[in-house]
Amino acid sequence: MKRYIQYPRVAGVASRQAHADLPPGTYEREMSKEGFFGPAAFFHHRHPPTGWTSFEGPLRPHAFDLTKLPAGGAAGAITAPEGSPWAAHEVLHNAHCRVRWWRLPRSMDHLVRNADGDELLFVHAGRAELYCDFGHLAVEPGDYVVLPRGTLWRLECAEPVDALLIEATNSTYTLPDKGLVGAHAIFDPALLDVPAIDEAFRAQSARTAPEGAAADAGWRVLVRRRGVLSAVSYPFNPLDAVGWHGDLCVCRVNVRDIRPLTSHRYHLPPSAHTTFVANRFVVCTFVPRPFETDPGALKVPFFHNNDDYDEVIFYHAGDFFSRDHIHPGMITFHPAGFTHGPHPKALTRMLVQTKPATDEYAVMIDTRDALEVAPAATSVEWTGYVDSWRGEPAG
């Protein structure tokens, strides 16, 4: 535990409880260390800290409409076929995390293996059957699927699939330490589904070629290591295991199985919704929850300095109560180093909401290291996003 210099003080007109009982007519801003875990200061401002009239330079926030990206094809020494996860559009990346947008219009005609790190597949739309080293698993919208590094896999589509791919480069996905609330809070590990060696798996194992290919076409495996593809061909299906044992496996949990931590008297920070942890970044999930009912408690996210982490949010479904002009399939990126918070429209409901609960599903990625914006993301950027915070809240 770091021994920070700690000296809790109250100066001027201020609340003594974070995120509650704000002095009338003020807006709270949090400045903290280590995200929301270290020492913090809470300021009370007369105006929303995001009420800028202009914003220039690389710290400006971004919003990208991933639904405008087509199914991609990646060229290189070895070409990834259209619809391959290796042809997915790179959106954001750093040395520890790669975020890609994958559109799969039809079943994969090849197998893939990621030798660079664990892959987290979040299914935004579509349905498919996953076949992998460990067996068979059906996937549907809202599913998180953790694919450990080195897993051989492919999808057979019942419907075209749109998915967010989050690579833990040279790292492993783990579950967060849930502390005092215990291991069964948020979601019970018993909810983690794993593949089965069932009749569907055994039937596909017997095929000499992928579905839809010529019977003598064989099986092609595309392996990515250090960002470069290698191709390995087989006269038989490499997914032919008759059994396995151990404590390493593909697993799945759906967002509808997540039961968020809530407090009726205090707006919890995003870190309370952490779902997976990797080296140098975390993945959190926002799901429907009741609004705070204490009259003095904030009912919207608080303004905060984004000083230690880059923040990325992918919007999956519902009404995103703290954002305006954002629809499912969009992704926002707030680089570390500037203050952000709810849009002016959301601020009008800062203390009184018009409904009892939120109605949103979203995936948040907080990275300890700066992310780079890939050209594909720039091509579908909503450049007016930075201006969506302008002005005082109405009413």
Side-chain angles (χ1 to χ4, degrees), residues 36-37 176 186 259-262 268-275 284-286:
F36 303 102
F37 291 98
I186 307 177
R259 301 169 186 264
L261 294 178
T262 61
L268 297 178
S271 49
H273 308 296
T274 302
T275 312
C284 307
T285 310
F286 300 132

Side-chain angles (χ1 to χ4, degrees), residues 175-191 257-262 272 274-275:
L175 296 180
D177 179 0
K178 298 173 186 176
L180 294 175
V181 297
H184 306 101
I186 307 177
F187 69 84
D188 193 313
L191 282 164
D257 294 322
I258 294 175
R259 301 169 186 264
L261 294 178
T262 61
T274 302
T275 312

Side-chain angles (χ1 to χ4, degrees), residues 40-54:
F42 303 89
F43 302 90
H44 300 283
H45 297 278
R46 293 191 181 94
H47 303 282
T50 54
W52 48 69
T53 56
S54 66

Side-chain angles (χ1 to χ4, degrees), residues 111 113 152 207-210 215-223 231-240:
L111 293 157
R113 174 181 284 139
L152 191 60
R207 295 179 196 159
T208 57
D216 60 351
W219 288 83
R220 193 171 189 232
V221 177
L222 295 182
V223 184
V232 187
S233 296
Y234 294 87
F236 57 86
N237 185 351
L239 296 183
D240 62 355

Side-chain angles (χ1 to χ4, degrees), residues 274-296:
T274 302
T275 312
F276 299 103
V277 178
N279 184 28
R280 309 287 291 178
F281 73 94
V282 298
V283 177
C284 307
T285 310
F286 300 132
V287 299
R289 61 167 181 82
F291 281 113
E292 297 78 9
T293 56
D294 188 287

Side-chain angles (χ1 to χ4, degrees), residues 179-229:
L180 294 175
V181 297
H184 306 101
I186 307 177
F187 69 84
D188 193 313
L191 282 164
L192 291 171
D193 295 315
V194 299
I197 296 183
D198 54 16
E199 285 303 318
F201 181 77
R202 285 188 283 270
Q204 69 84 40
S205 294
R207 295 179 196 159
T208 57
E211 186 178 79
D216 60 351
W219 288 83
R220 193 171 189 232
V221 177
L222 295 182
V223 184
R224 190 172 73 87
R225 173 61 179 159
R226 300 180 68 185
V228 178
L229 292 183

